[in-house]
Amino acid sequence: MSGDVVIRADGLGKAYMISHAAGGNERYVALRDVLAGAARRAMGRIRDPARGASVSGDSSVEEFWALRDVNFEVKRGEVVGVIGRNGAGKSTLLKVLSRITEPTRGRVEIRGRLASLLEVGTGFHPELTGRENIFLNGAILGMTRAEIRRKFDEIVAFAEVEKFLDTPVKRYSSGMYVRLAFAVAAHLEPEILVVDEVLSVGDAEFQKKCLGKMQDVSGQGRTVLFVSHDMAAMRFLCPRCILLASGNIDAFGETHTVISEYNRARAAANSKSYPEGSLVRSIVARQSESRIVIELEYSALPSDVCFPGVGFIIHGWDGRPLFGHNSMLEERPQRSTTRNGGHARIVVNGPPLLDGSYLISIQMGDHHHTYFSDPQCLALEVSAMIDSRYQLEQRKVGSIYPSCSYEFTDSL
Amino acid sequence: MQTHVERAPAATMTGERVVVLEAGRAESNYWRDLWNYRELFLILAWRDVSVRYKQTMIGVAWAVIRPLTTMVIFTIIFGRLAKLPSEGATPYPILVLSGMLAWFLFSSILGDASSSMIGNANLIGKIYFPRIILPASTAVVALVDLAINLVVLLALMAFYGFLPGWRIALLPAFIAFAVVASFGPALLIAALNVKYRDFRFILPFLLQFGLYVSPVGFSSSVVPDGWRFFYSLNPVVGVIDGFRWCLLGGESQLYMPGFVGSCAVAAALAWLGVAYFRKFERSFADVI
């Protein structure tokens, strides 16, 4: 390993065995099924010796490569983001780096103490007090007892739970719980820190505090690998970024460039159609003068649904939601027969948007269930929606064009 | 397919640890790695013990009541109704309770350790550590229970004016034997529990079966001589006979061929358990 490289992945691959056996989605095998399968095969062989081994039903085991041929290097003190769609292999990559699971192919060399934070509050026990959980969680994250004792006061102050130190955490509010959990994690001092989407918990105030803490960490020359869906946080924290797509590294470079690429790849089109069996068959979004029109075709809803609701969210260039609405919010939601499916048309009359690209999420459901949800499935290029001589720059002022009036009065 | 190149320096000049991750790699420094995680083991053991005794009264009471009630029932059934002989002049309740201590140690380790993987699935999926730490830390809880039960036994002995004698000093060795004897099968079942999620339904049945085929409610000397060696191949027989030999102050004699047989079976099971566990340990996070 050359001088300053602290993580080097070399042809890294990870395969999972996926079984398509009867019973479907269960991740584990039941002994009962294995025995029954063995018995069936034995019976089959007796009954049908000509077909021999081909009778065996377990050919339905399939290899799924969550990571394939991943190569990258991270230097000491670098803060690198990892982005990609759900299922792109981000979590698998972090799990391999944290040694939770073994690579199937290739190798990784890690130089220095690595701690991983894949979840806030791993191992917290509800019956134990805050104080006890600090020690437990600290040890689980890889701190020594001496280290925890040294940082104890700092952790407690950061979490703002002084008064409840000797209360079992099951009595904590969810906010306190998260604060305590994050406080422990934030005081980890490994040489390399691997962080999964953990900033999405907690209130905005605390998130800000955590971002600050993360920045401190990276400022101290520590290496951080950071997975997030929050593109703004990504830009804030990580100068460089890895884009994963179906287990491959699609891009590795300056965060701004990689995020743009990601957004382009993620929702290249303003229309999308879905395979047979999906509730929604197709979605199209387009700009019609100063309006946005979204249309979707859907097939039969479950028979007990009488108010099929459809909702949307419009996101800005960084993936942050701008606004959303759904048909259930109307004063008199339209009743519709759902047996044969149908066509829904959403007309967004406002607010007007500045030129740029936007992402759209679509959801279908009623008060009780979500029957369909596809976050950020469409991309829409908006241009000249606003009848104005000057275009403000979306990057600088935000995306929504406000309706304003200005009045000046000369002083006498 | 692995090109297994042994890395010479485990630490660089700066003293930094270099970890290499590749398929099959975990095998090579398994025991050293385990040693590095001793602190986590201690804290998990402490967690299990303190959660169990959190509500002190109930925790301790439960540890005491369970063997005591079983002792009373077994004394009535085997001692009074079936009129089975005790060992020498040992009062029957003491005979039963001393066997019960051994059995509860064995069965709680087997039961708790084998479900420890499923119970800590969340940890396994989120954090790396040698997985064997989990069943090992639950075994500590069983040892604390044993300590409480020993106090109960001593109280019962005081009540009968019964002296255990010098052999009690050797009890730690037999406790260690009991731990080894139970830990092997426990690891085996723990791994099977992860692999086949319905395996856990089999264990309670095995444990109940074990309680009656093992000499808990009676002395193993009631087994006919011709069968005694085969009977002793059950490692629990060795554990219970050993406990009684230590605790019953010379009233109980150790049947050596059987005891050696028990030890051999226990050692074989321990080896099998560790080997099987290690084989599947690496994929636990993928299936759990």
Side-chain angles (χ1 to χ4, degrees):
Chain A
M1 211 183 296
S2 69
D4 245 14
V5 175
V6 287
I7 304 176
R8 167 181 292 164
D10 232 345
L12 192 63
K14 172 72 191 177
Y16 287 102
M17 291 299 175
I18 298 184
S19 145
H20 298 296
N25 299 332
E26 290 164 46
R27 292 169 73 198
Y28 54 85
V29 203
L31 185 59
R32 143 180 56 105
D33 297 340
V34 174
L35 294 179
R40 217 176 310 124
R41 277 197 297 281
M43 295 293 285
R45 219 162 279 145
I46 293 165
R47 238 180 284 135
D48 193 1
R51 281 166 70 193
S54 67
V55 187
S56 64
D58 54 11
S59 54
S60 53
V61 176
E62 195 187 302
E63 246 185 1
F64 167 73
W65 286 86
L67 291 176
R68 45 186 129 198
D69 198 26
V70 167
N71 300 290
F72 65 92
E73 282 181 0
V74 176
K75 293 205 177 67
R76 189 184 310 276
E78 247 191 319
V79 180
V80 174
V82 181
I83 57 175
R85 306 183 65 133
N86 289 334
K90 302 185 301 279
S91 298
T92 306
L93 177 63
L94 294 199
K95 280 189 173 180
V96 169
L97 292 178
S98 352
R99 302 177 71 186
I100 292 164
T101 184
E102 261 198 340
T104 316
R105 295 250 171 86
R107 60 192 264 139
V108 187
E109 286 182 30
I110 294 168
R111 184 181 282 243
R113 197 169 81 134
L114 180 143
S116 57
L117 186 59
L118 302 195
E119 179 192 54
V120 157
T122 304
F124 260 46
H125 200 290
E127 294 288 341
L128 298 178
T129 66
R131 182 190 304 279
E132 290 167 329
N133 268 308
I134 290 178
F135 279 92
L136 176 62
N137 190 233
I140 285 172
L141 293 175
M143 287 192 240
T144 63
R145 256 174 307 170
E147 212 176 325
I148 301 166
R149 223 171 280 133
R150 202 170 60 238
K151 292 184 192 145
F152 189 83
D153 294 334
E154 217 180 311
I155 292 174
V156 174
F158 189 88
E160 302 160 27
V161 293
E162 291 91 341
K163 272 181 251 159
F164 307 98
L165 262 188
D166 294 304
T167 311
V169 294
K170 65 179 175 188
R171 304 231 170 79
Y172 278 31
S173 71
S174 57
M176 280 158 65
Y177 185 94
V178 166
R179 283 207 305 275
L180 182 64
F182 198 91
V184 181
H187 289 81
L188 267 175
E189 277 182 2
E191 281 123 15
I192 306 165
L193 182 62
V194 168
V195 189
D196 203 350
E197 188 94 61
V198 289
L199 291 172
S200 51
V201 294
D203 51 58
E205 187 65 22
F206 192 70
Q207 276 185 24
K208 218 187 277 172
K209 200 166 159 185
C210 295
L211 279 178
K213 184 78 192 172
M214 291 270 297
Q215 235 190 357
D216 286 353
V217 168
S218 50
Q220 288 159 12
R222 230 162 280 148
T223 314
V224 183
L225 220 64
F226 176 53
V227 163
S228 181
H229 285 108
D230 184 347
M231 296 302 152
M234 206 55 116
R235 281 161 189 280
F236 179 65
L237 289 172
C238 318
R240 297 216 307 153
C241 209
I242 293 177
L243 171 59
L244 276 179
S246 22
N248 288 308
I249 292 192
D250 253 22
F252 186 9
E254 198 207 332
T255 300
H256 188 86
T257 329
V258 175
I259 289 181
S260 309
E261 176 149 338
Y262 171 55
N263 283 341
R264 260 200 309 281
R266 182 168 49 166
N270 67 334
S271 70
K272 188 171 176 182
S273 34
Y274 293 86
E276 198 68 32
S278 167
L279 173 64
V280 169
R281 290 197 194 116
S282 65
I283 318 175
V284 187
R286 62 196 153 79
Q287 182 193 349
S288 160
E289 293 174 358
S290 66
R291 301 186 185 90
I292 294 170
V293 180
I294 305 167
E295 291 181 276
L296 62 159
E297 302 282 342
Y298 57 91
S299 42
L301 283 161
S303 58
D304 55 330
V305 180
C306 57
F307 293 115
V310 56
F312 69 92
I313 302 167
I314 303 222
H315 307 261
W317 52 273
D318 56 355
R320 292 217 161 174
L322 298 175
F323 55 86
H325 201 266
N326 70 62
S327 60
M328 313 300 284
L329 297 171
E330 287 198 294
E331 241 161 77
R332 289 181 56 221
Q334 189 188 345
R335 189 182 265 273
S336 157
T337 73
T338 54
R339 230 158 293 139
N340 303 321
H343 176 95
R345 181 182 158 93
I346 307 167
V347 179
V348 187
N349 292 314
L353 298 171
L354 294 177
D355 284 4
S357 51
Y358 295 84
L359 299 166
I360 301 175
S361 300
I362 297 290
Q363 227 178 36
M364 267 192 101
D366 59 15
H367 287 304
H368 309 292
H369 298 285
T370 300
Y371 297 105
F372 172 86
S373 170
D374 194 357
Q376 308 188 359
C377 52
L378 300 181
L380 184 65
E381 284 300 324
V382 166
S383 66
M385 193 180 255
I386 299 132
D387 189 18
S388 156
R389 275 190 300 155
Y390 302 106
Q391 261 293 331
L392 294 166
E393 210 181 319
Q394 185 201 21
R395 287 243 157 88
K396 285 186 184 149
V397 301
S399 305
I400 297 170
Y401 190 72
S403 142
C404 319
S405 61
Y406 299 86
E407 197 172 300
F408 297 91
T409 314
D410 291 334
S411 44
L412 293 169
Chain B
M1 82 184 184
Q2 269 316 307
T3 48
H4 204 82
V5 186
E6 198 55 50
R7 283 187 58 84
T12 57
M13 300 271 279
T14 50
E16 252 179 352
R17 208 147 58 103
V18 176
V19 178
V20 178
L21 310 175
E22 60 190 342
R25 182 83 195 181
E27 281 300 295
S28 54
N29 32 28
Y30 189 78
W31 299 108
R32 199 186 58 197
D33 204 31
L34 194 57
W35 176 246
N36 286 338
Y37 278 86
R38 62 193 181 281
E39 197 149 306
L40 183 61
F41 161 71
L42 290 177
I43 221 143
L44 286 177
W46 161 82
R47 173 195 72 173
D48 289 344
V49 171
S50 84
V51 166
R52 180 152 161 79
Y53 293 102
K54 201 73 191 180
Q55 283 120 346
T56 321
M57 286 311 292
I58 298 168
V60 175
W62 180 240
V64 171
I65 288 169
R66 207 164 54 129
L68 267 188
T69 46
T70 324
M71 183 270 285
V72 170
I73 292 167
F74 275 25
T75 304
I76 292 172
I77 293 176
F78 293 106
R80 293 286 145 76
L81 299 179
K83 295 204 191 325
L84 291 177
S86 183
E87 307 233 355
T90 315
Y92 211 84
I94 294 182
L95 175 86
V96 174
L97 193 59
S98 57
M100 197 72 76
L101 291 192
W103 170 255
F104 272 119
L105 178 62
F106 182 89
S107 67
S108 5
I109 292 181
L110 196 56
D112 295 345
S114 56
S115 61
S116 62
M117 292 292 137
I118 306 296
N120 290 290
N122 184 42
L123 275 191
I124 293 176
K126 298 292 180 194
I127 292 289
Y128 167 76
F129 54 88
R131 308 309 186 193
I132 207 167
I133 282 180
L134 286 173
S137 70
T138 62
V140 174
V141 181
L143 287 173
V144 174
D145 278 357
L146 175 75
I148 294 171
N149 286 334
L150 264 176
V151 174
V152 176
L153 178 70
L154 291 178
L156 190 73
M157 284 176 166
F159 176 76
Y160 279 98
F162 186 92
L163 271 181
W166 61 269
R167 289 194 179 103
I168 199 168
L170 290 176
L171 190 62
F174 288 93
I175 291 175
F177 172 46
V179 171
V180 172
S182 53
F183 206 53
L187 286 181
L188 198 62
I189 296 172
L192 286 168
N193 258 338
V194 176
K195 208 167 171 219
Y196 306 111
R197 210 55 76 84
D198 54 350
F199 199 84
R200 67 198 153 97
F201 300 118
I202 299 174
L203 187 65
F205 166 73
L206 283 179
L207 283 178
Q208 195 163 27
F209 185 69
L211 176 61
Y212 291 100
V213 298
S214 306
V216 179
F218 48 87
S219 156
S220 57
S221 58
V222 303
V223 176
D225 283 345
W227 291 100
R228 188 130 185 220
F229 180 74
F230 295 101
Y231 184 65
S232 302
L233 291 182
N234 170 4
V236 187
V237 174
V239 171
I240 292 179
D241 283 357
F243 266 55
R244 286 194 174 134
W245 181 80
C246 288
L247 291 167
L248 301 187
E251 300 290 344
S252 164
Q253 294 308 317
L254 209 52
Y255 169 67
M256 270 332 264
F259 185 72
V260 171
S262 272
C263 287
V265 172
L269 280 175
W271 177 82
L272 184 69
V274 171
Y276 189 76
F277 190 87
R278 280 184 62 179
K279 183 157 174 249
F280 281 101
E281 182 176 32
R282 285 174 284 149
S283 58
F284 280 172
D286 298 343
V287 269
I288 207 157

